[in-house]
């Protein structure tokens, strides 16, 4: 009897689903998309309703053959790709490749990879949603038209290898606009004034200047501050009012994708990778679970909807874990934003059986951290609000009013899930301190008063002034975007979709349009130039409102309110005109951008040119004069993150300057070409750059050629090599103390080495003459079972840290903490 074929995207997902199905089903993975538009040409016929010319992805040729072989005997094919537009499009391509007259194509939709969800999906199979596919096709074609039409223009006007994307360009503009706002920002001085006061009972407390004669007051300079201090001299300090109100703070809703990306303390790409692993399935061998199980629901969603079954399970968990007082009378329902695609639930645990601490031994630290975040947010969303008393004390001194606030927790409510007070949860939950609280309605924000522990005071009480403390402050510029705040900005402006945020951010960095310093994005000189060029010729493409409307048009295609061809025709009509005008009017930067700077060598004007590694300043008299310098303003930092002084060249004493090469920025001697000294710039913990230490020549001799060894700074840290490189390529490696089993007779030892990507492995010191390698660290200990020369260390989620025999035929294993003793 032929087996039904089930097709998913990934092997991990296939493994998890396979355990829920019987022998009548065969589950295979497509490894993602199997077809796409061609790389070498546009692949879209703009004159014939934007017909696409899809072709098989070269790297998927083998997979496609395996899929077709598996489909030969199948009468039913079930497409079980992810339940979103991208997954629907993958399913559509699979149906076109695998379908036939004798084969029926079914669509399986499930929000979580659990036995119940999979079995339920098989009871109600559907068909490929053509409208969802059309929406994804339209997005793909829009992106292709922008990318493949504007990018060649940039190659012609600026430099080959540049790119412009429909959503990527808008994101870049947001970063550059923020940077220019920072550059234009002029700090304004202001002063805060604090009074240290003591009442009839301890403790002392601070109050902040709030009003004068009933009106809000702003102290602009030190003279005004001193005048107020003079006014307050010998003024009586009287409590004018004491108001205590009960406040409530409600829990935030369960996570949607964008909120998870903003709240998790990982880069967006890593957050989505970890969530994908938790969704596709984790092995839980110690919990009586056979095979992997999905721990969370589908992680690409913008809906806060939760199934009734999950709500019941959450309420049962809350009642049994926290008690009835934490449980609302009815389940909590949250409203999704107006443009949310409500096909999927919010991100939540698939079962309350697997709490974070129970599954922690089977998760990596990062997986556990993200799972706990999702778990806590979901459980908290179904709990009663936290309540606290907020006391506001107003103190009058002459014409001036000072204010202090105190908060006393009354009932932990949902904050019990996190084990922290409401004020400490802003960062973990992604809320501002005032979000969802009754205090949100106050006319004053937290900056108008000092919060702290207050003594018991009553209206009319006279207070003793202990000290007056004026503090000078300056207004701050808007902050640069972090990954979290950039995602928030994209989401709030309706730009892109949560599933695309990671790739948008990645492209901006890969193209060297932005750099990340201290966790924040800063546009490069190249990024600023690209935005300036594009906004003059393609104002629509970089317009936030226009991009938002395009996203809404894609939603309308999915809803059946418009169609693929009409949407693309409307876009291309204007875009085609802009493209033609840009070809004629866009500035040609290959000729260089004029500056007011004069060459300090020959006196000719200096130009900004765009080179292979970005913009730089060069003499217009090239090739007669080869004077250049780095355009970027970034300078090396010291270890404390501050700008560091650049030491002069250690060989000739001339100044060193920052230049950019194939592997990024570096220091080069200004005496070039007579002096060719260079020094690397390495990343600091703060995200900046720091000059690497100069080479240190050692007294130790090279064992191969007899010349001195030298300590150098490489891409992956310090290393010791021969001074005669490249004639002698000896590198001194850290030894493990274990003799090489293949080359011991020639003095070979197993030493630490690093791959081209920086990953550590272990190999023979006589490489390349001996190619023995290990990925696990060897230990100089004879195997007590088979007598093998050494053991290896391995750490797995299932068994922890172990010592194993290097001999694959021997099954000796023990905990690394145990030490074998002779009988």
């Amino acid at each position: 009897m032929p087996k039904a074929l089930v097709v998913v995207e990934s092997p991990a997902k296939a493994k998890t689903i396979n355990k829920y199905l019987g022998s009548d089903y065969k589950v295979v993975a497509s490894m993602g998309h199997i077809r796409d538009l061609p790389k070498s040409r546009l692949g879209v016929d703009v004159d014939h309703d934007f017909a696409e010319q899809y072709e098989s992805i070269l790297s998927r040729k083998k997979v496609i053959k395996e899929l077709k072989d598996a489909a030969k005997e199948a009468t039913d094919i079930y497409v079980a790709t992810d339940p979103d537009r991208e997954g629907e499009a993958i399913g559509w391509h699979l149906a076109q490749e695998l379908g036939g007259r004798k084969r029926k194509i079914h669509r399986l939709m499930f929000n979580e990879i659990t036995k119940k969800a999979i079995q339920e999906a098989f009871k109600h199979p559907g068909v490929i949603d053509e409208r969802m596919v059309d929406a994804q096709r339209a997005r793909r074609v829009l992106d292709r038209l922008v990318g493949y039409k504007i990018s060649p223009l940039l190659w012609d006007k600026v430099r080959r290898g540049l790119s412009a994307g429909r959503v990527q360009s808008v994101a870049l503009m947001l970063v550059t606009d923020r940077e220019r706002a920072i550059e234009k920002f002029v700090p304004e001085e202001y002063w805060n004034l604090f009074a240290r006061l003591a009442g009839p009972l301890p403790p002392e407390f601070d109050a902040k200047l709030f009003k004068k004669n009933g009106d809000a007051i702003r102290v602009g300079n030190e003279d005004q501050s001193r005048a107020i201090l003079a006014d307050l001299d010998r003024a009586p300090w009287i409590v004018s009012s004491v108001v205590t109100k009960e406040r409530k703070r409600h829990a935030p809703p369960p996570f949607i994708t964008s909120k998870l990306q903003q709240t998790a303390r990982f880069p967006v790409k890593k957050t989505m990778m970890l969530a994908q692993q938790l969704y596709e399935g984790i092995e839980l061998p110690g919990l009586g679970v056979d095979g992997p199980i999905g721990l969370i629901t589908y992680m690409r969603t913008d809906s806060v909807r939760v199934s009734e079954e999950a709500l019941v399970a959450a309420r049962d968990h809350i009642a049994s874990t926290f008690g009835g007082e934490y449980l609302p009378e009815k389940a909590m329902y949250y409203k999704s934003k107006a443009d949310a695609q409500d096909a999927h639930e919010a991100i939540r645990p698939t079962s309350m059986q697997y709490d974070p601490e129970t599954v922690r031994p089977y998760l990596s630290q990062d997986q556990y951290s993200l799972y706990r975040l999702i778990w806590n947010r979901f459980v908290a969303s179904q709990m009663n609000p936290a309540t606290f008393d907020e006391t506001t004390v107003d103190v009058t001194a002459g014409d001036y009013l000072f204010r202090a606030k105190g908060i006393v927790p009354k009932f932990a409510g949902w904050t019990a899930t996190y084990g922290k007070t409401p004020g400490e949860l802003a960062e973990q939950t992604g809320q501002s301190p005032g979000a969802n609280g009754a205090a949100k309605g106050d006319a004053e924000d937290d900056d108008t008063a000092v919060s702290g522990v207050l003594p018991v005071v009553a209206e009319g009480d006279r207070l003793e002034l202990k000290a007056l403390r004026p503090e000078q402050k300056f207004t701050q510029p808007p902050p640069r975007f972090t990954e979290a705040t950039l995602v928030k900005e994209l989401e709030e402006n309706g730009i892109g979709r949560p599933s695309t945020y990671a790739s948008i951010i990645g492209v901006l960095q890969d193209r060297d349009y932005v750099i990340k310093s201290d966790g924040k994005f800063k546009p490069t000189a190249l990024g600023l130039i690209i935005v300036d060029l594009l906004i003059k010729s393609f104002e629509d493409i970089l317009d936030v409102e226009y991009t938002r409307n395009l996203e809404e048009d894609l939603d309308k295609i999915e809803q059946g309110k418009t169609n693929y061809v009409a949407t693309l025709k409307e876009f291309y009509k204007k875009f085609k005109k802009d493209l033609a005008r840009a070809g004629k009017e866009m500035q040609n930067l290959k000729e260089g951008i004029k500056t007011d700077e004069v060459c300090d060598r020959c006196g000719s004007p200096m130009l900004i040119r765009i080179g292979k590694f970005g913009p730089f300043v060069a003499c217009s008299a090239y090739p007669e004069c080869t004077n250049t310098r780095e355009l970027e303003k970034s300078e090396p930092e010291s270890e404390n993150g501050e700008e560091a002084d650049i030491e002069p060249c250690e060989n000739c004493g001339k100044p060193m300057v920052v230049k950019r090469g194939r592997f990024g920025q570096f220091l080069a001697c200004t005496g070039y070409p007579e002096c060719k000294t260079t020094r690397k710039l390495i990343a600091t913990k703060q995200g900046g750059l720091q000059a690497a230490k100069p080479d240190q020549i050692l007294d130790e001799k090279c064992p191969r050629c007899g010349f001195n060894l030298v300590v150098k700074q490489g891409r992956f840290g310090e290393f010791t090599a021969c001074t005669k490189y490249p004639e002698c390529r000896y590198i001194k490696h850290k030894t493990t103390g274990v003799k090489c089993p293949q080359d011991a007779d020639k003095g070979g030892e197993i030493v630490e080495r690093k791959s081209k990507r920086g990953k550590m492995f272990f190999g023979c010191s006589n490489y390349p003459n001996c190619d023995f390698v290990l990925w696990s660290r060897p230990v100089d200990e004879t195997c007590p079972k088979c007598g093998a020369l050494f053991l290896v260390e391995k750490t797995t989620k299932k068994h922890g840290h172990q010592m194993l025999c290097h001999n694959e035929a021997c099954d000796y294993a023990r905990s690394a903490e145990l030490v074998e003793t002779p009988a």
Side-chain angles (χ1 to χ4, degrees):
M1 180 179 175
K3 292 185 178 182
L5 183 65
V6 181
V7 187
V8 298
E9 290 108 322
S10 72
K13 191 174 177 181
K15 184 179 179 182
T16 306
I17 291 176
N18 189 58
K19 75 170 186 172
Y20 299 132
L21 303 178
S23 58
D24 294 336
Y25 297 91
K26 182 175 182 179
V27 187
V28 294
S30 71
M31 308 302 289
H33 281 279
I34 60 170
R35 299 198 310 172
D36 196 7
L37 298 173
K39 285 188 175 182
S40 58
R41 62 185 191 280
L42 182 65
V44 179
D45 190 344
V46 296
D47 297 321
H48 295 87
D49 292 341
F50 302 92
E52 311 101 300
Q53 298 155 7
Y54 290 109
E55 60 183 32
S56 298
I57 298 173
L58 189 61
S59 61
R60 297 286 186 269
K61 293 279 189 182
K62 184 178 178 182
V63 173
I64 294 172
K65 184 179 183 306
E66 291 172 352
L67 289 170
K68 287 184 175 180
D69 290 343
K72 283 180 180 178
E73 302 299 323
T75 55
D76 292 275
I77 297 176
Y78 294 87
V79 176
T81 48
D82 287 345
D84 56 12
R85 285 181 190 166
E86 197 78 20
E88 208 71 17
I90 294 173
W92 180 68
H93 287 298
L94 286 167
Q96 292 193 329
E97 285 285 344
L98 306 180
R101 283 182 296 176
K102 296 182 180 180
R103 302 186 196 114
K104 293 181 181 179
I105 304 293
H106 309 276
R107 178 70 167 114
L108 295 182
M109 297 284 279
F110 41 83
N111 192 51
E112 58 189 59
I113 306 179
T114 59
K115 185 175 183 178
K116 183 175 181 179
I118 300 300
Q119 291 176 342
E120 190 66 25
F122 271 93
K123 290 178 184 177
H124 307 285
V127 296
I128 301 292
D129 188 330
E130 295 288 344
R131 295 189 307 194
M132 281 184 74
V133 173
D134 284 350
Q136 181 58 32
R137 287 171 57 209
R139 177 186 292 279
R140 186 73 186 93
V141 170
L142 282 170
D143 291 343
R144 174 55 66 101
L145 290 174
V146 173
Y148 272 51
K149 293 290 187 178
I150 298 182
S151 296
L153 190 61
L154 294 178
W155 296 2
D156 183 50
K157 302 289 187 178
V158 186
R159 173 177 63 77
R160 288 190 64 84
L162 299 178
S163 72
R166 184 178 63 86
V167 181
Q168 154 202 333
S169 298
V170 184
L172 176 59
M173 187 196 65
L174 292 174
V175 176
T176 57
D177 283 355
R178 178 63 58 88
E179 189 66 23
R180 281 168 171 154
I182 294 171
E183 290 174 354
K184 292 178 182 178
F185 182 81
V186 179
E188 293 183 13
E189 181 185 9
Y190 69 98
W191 288 69
N192 288 329
L193 189 59
F194 299 94
R196 186 71 173 174
L197 301 169
L201 297 172
E204 295 178 0
F205 66 99
D206 286 330
K208 183 180 177 183
L209 177 61
F210 180 37
K211 292 182 177 181
K212 180 181 181 181
N213 294 324
D215 297 323
I217 183 172
R218 180 182 177 87
V219 184
N221 53 54
E222 187 174 9
D223 290 340
Q224 293 177 16
S225 175
R226 287 177 177 174
I228 294 171
L229 292 178
D231 290 345
L232 292 171
D233 186 35
R234 298 184 181 180
W237 294 79
I238 309 296
V239 176
S240 55
S241 74
V242 179
V243 179
T244 299
K245 296 179 182 179
E246 182 181 86
R247 303 296 195 188
K248 288 185 178 180
R249 188 174 182 214
H250 296 273
F255 278 124
I256 58 175
T257 305
S258 57
K259 289 294 185 285
L260 180 64
Q261 292 171 343
Q262 293 167 41
T263 309
R265 299 184 180 187
F266 301 113
V268 171
K269 184 176 181 180
K270 184 173 182 178
T271 297
M272 296 309 293
M273 178 193 72
L274 293 170
Q276 184 92 28
Q277 294 166 357
L278 295 172
Y279 166 70
E280 292 187 340
I282 300 293
E283 298 271 1
L284 306 174
L287 301 180
V289 181
D290 181 24
I293 184 167
L295 291 180
I296 65 170
T297 53
Y298 190 56
M299 63 285 164
R300 293 187 180 94
T301 177
D302 51 8
S303 169
V304 292
R305 179 177 58 84
V306 175
S307 71
E308 291 297 326
E309 183 182 3
L311 291 177
V312 171
R315 288 173 61 80
D316 289 344
H317 171 80
I318 292 165
S320 61
T321 304
F322 298 96
E325 67 270 28
Y326 287 86
L327 191 65
E329 290 184 10
K330 298 179 181 179
M332 303 291 291
Y333 295 91
Y334 296 88
K335 188 177 180 181
S336 298
K337 58 184 182 179
D339 61 344
Q341 299 176 24
D342 201 47
H344 320 301
E345 291 185 54
I347 305 171
R348 61 166 176 84
T350 57
S351 171
M352 302 311 291
Q353 177 183 353
Y354 304 116
D355 67 87
E357 298 310 314
T358 297
V359 300
R360 185 172 188 172
Y362 313 104
L363 304 177
S364 69
Q365 182 57 42
D366 290 343
Q367 287 173 337
Y368 165 74
S369 177
L370 190 68
Y371 183 57
R372 182 181 59 180
L373 191 68
I374 293 168
W375 174 281
N376 286 346
R377 177 92 164 209
F378 174 62
V379 172
S381 72
Q382 293 304 312
M383 295 174 72
N384 273 323
T387 59
F388 52 93
D389 281 338
E390 181 184 81
T391 300
T392 302
V393 176
D394 285 350
V395 180
T396 302
D399 295 333
Y400 299 93
L401 179 71
F402 285 71
R403 175 166 288 183
K405 284 184 181 180
I407 294 176
V408 178
K410 293 179 66 177
F411 176 63
W414 65 273
T415 64
T417 302
Y418 293 85
K420 294 189 177 184
T421 64
E424 296 172 316
L425 283 170
E427 186 175 356
Q428 286 194 30
T429 60
Q431 290 181 302
S432 62
N436 282 324
K440 183 179 175 182
D442 287 352
E444 304 83 38
D445 59 29
D446 290 341
D447 192 45
T448 62
V450 179
S451 295
V453 179
L454 298 179
V456 177
V457 293
E459 187 176 336
D461 282 352
R462 189 181 184 99
L463 305 178
E464 180 186 354
L465 176 65
K466 295 292 186 179
L468 277 172
R469 187 177 79 253
E471 286 187 359
Q472 184 186 34
K473 297 281 187 178
F474 291 92
T475 55
Q476 297 297 309
R480 290 189 178 117
F481 288 112
T482 63
E483 287 206 12
T485 56
L486 183 56
V487 165
K488 184 178 181 181
E489 189 79 7
L490 293 170
E491 179 195 22
E492 289 179 349
N493 284 288
I495 299 170
R497 284 292 178 206
S499 59
T500 65
Y501 294 154
S503 62
I504 291 169
I505 292 170
V507 168
L508 292 181
Q509 293 177 280
D510 292 342
R511 294 288 183 269
D512 201 27
Y513 293 160
V514 301
I515 57 172
K516 192 190 261 189
S517 178
D518 199 17
K520 297 176 182 177
F521 291 117
K522 179 182 179 182
T524 62
L526 179 61
L528 292 166
I529 289 171
I530 294 299
V531 166
D532 288 343
L533 283 176
L534 293 180
I535 204 163
K536 290 178 182 177
S537 302
F538 301 96
E539 187 177 356
D540 286 348
I541 298 297
L542 270 70
D543 182 67
V544 170
E545 185 68 27
Y546 182 80
T547 305
R548 182 193 298 121
N549 291 338
L550 270 180
E551 293 292 343
E552 292 173 357
D553 288 341
L554 295 175
D555 292 341
K556 289 177 182 177
I557 294 175
E558 183 175 337
Q559 296 159 6
K561 296 178 180 178
T562 186
N563 63 63
Y564 169 86
V565 176
T567 299
L568 292 175
K569 277 186 176 179
E570 184 179 354
F571 166 80
Y572 195 67
K573 183 179 180 180
K574 173 80 163 51
F575 180 65
K576 185 178 180 180
K577 293 179 180 177
D578 290 343
L579 201 63
R581 187 179 69 253
K584 298 176 182 177
E585 299 177 2
M586 184 180 283
Q587 183 181 1
N588 189 341
L589 299 189
K590 287 186 176 180
E591 299 171 358
I593 305 172
K594 294 180 179 179
T595 71
D596 296 330
E597 188 177 346
V598 175
C599 178
D600 55 9
R601 291 187 184 176
C602 71
S604 300
M606 298 291 279
L607 303 174
I608 296 175
R609 296 188 179 276
I610 313 296
K612 186 177 180 181
F613 309 117
F616 64 99
V617 180
C619 182
S620 58
Y622 178 85
E624 288 75 17
C625 178
T626 59
N627 189 17
T628 63
R629 69 169 177 81
E630 184 76 4
L631 177 63
E632 300 285 357
K633 296 179 181 178
S634 56
E635 296 290 343
E637 296 177 349
S638 62
E639 292 183 1
N640 61 12
E642 298 177 353
E643 189 174 305
D645 293 330
I646 302 177
E647 297 178 4
C649 174
E650 61 265 28
N651 291 324
C652 71
K654 290 184 178 180
M656 302 284 279
V657 293
V658 179
K659 288 188 175 289
R660 182 178 293 272
R662 181 182 175 189
F663 300 110
Q665 292 177 302
F666 64 97
L667 290 178
C669 181
T670 53
Y672 181 87
E674 289 76 18
C675 179
K676 298 181 180 180
T677 302
T678 61
R679 284 173 65 186
K680 293 181 180 293
L681 288 172
I682 57 177
T684 65
K685 292 180 180 179
Q686 292 76 23
L689 294 173
Q690 179 180 327
K693 297 176 182 176
D695 292 352
Q696 294 177 281
I697 298 177
L698 305 177
D699 293 333
E700 186 178 352
K701 302 296 183 181
C702 173
R704 292 185 183 173
C705 67
F707 281 82
N708 291 72
L709 296 180
V710 60
V711 178
K712 287 181 169 287
Q713 188 74 41
R715 290 177 66 190
F716 307 111
E718 286 186 348
F719 67 98
T720 303
C722 182
T723 52
K724 288 295 288 180
Y725 179 88
E727 290 81 4
C728 176
R729 294 179 177 267
Y730 172 78
I731 296 176
K732 183 180 179 181
H733 296 284
K734 185 178 179 180
T735 182
T736 62
V738 178
K739 294 186 180 300
C740 175
Q742 292 181 186
D743 213 21
D745 57 333
K746 297 181 181 178
E749 286 188 322
I750 303 177
V751 296
E752 291 182 4
R753 304 180 68 91
K754 282 188 178 179
S755 68
K756 290 181 179 180
R757 295 186 177 181
K759 185 176 180 181
M760 183 176 289
F761 68 99
F762 303 89
C764 182
S765 58
N766 287 337
Y767 177 85
N769 296 325
C770 176
D771 60 1
F772 177 81
V773 294
L774 287 171
W775 286 106
S776 299
R777 179 179 291 277
V779 178
D780 191 13
E781 183 180 329
T782 304
C783 176
K785 189 170 183 179
C786 72
L789 295 177
F790 59 89
L791 304 178
V792 293
E793 290 183 69
K794 271 194 177 179
T795 301
T796 62
K797 287 188 288 187
K798 185 174 182 179
H799 301 292
H801 193 189
Q802 286 187 307
M803 293 292 190
L804 307 173
C805 182
H806 170 59
N807 181 4
E808 293 182 359
C810 177
D811 61 357
Y812 174 77
R814 66 172 171 81
S815 170
E817 283 72 30
L818 299 177
V819 179
E820 295 287 327
T821 55

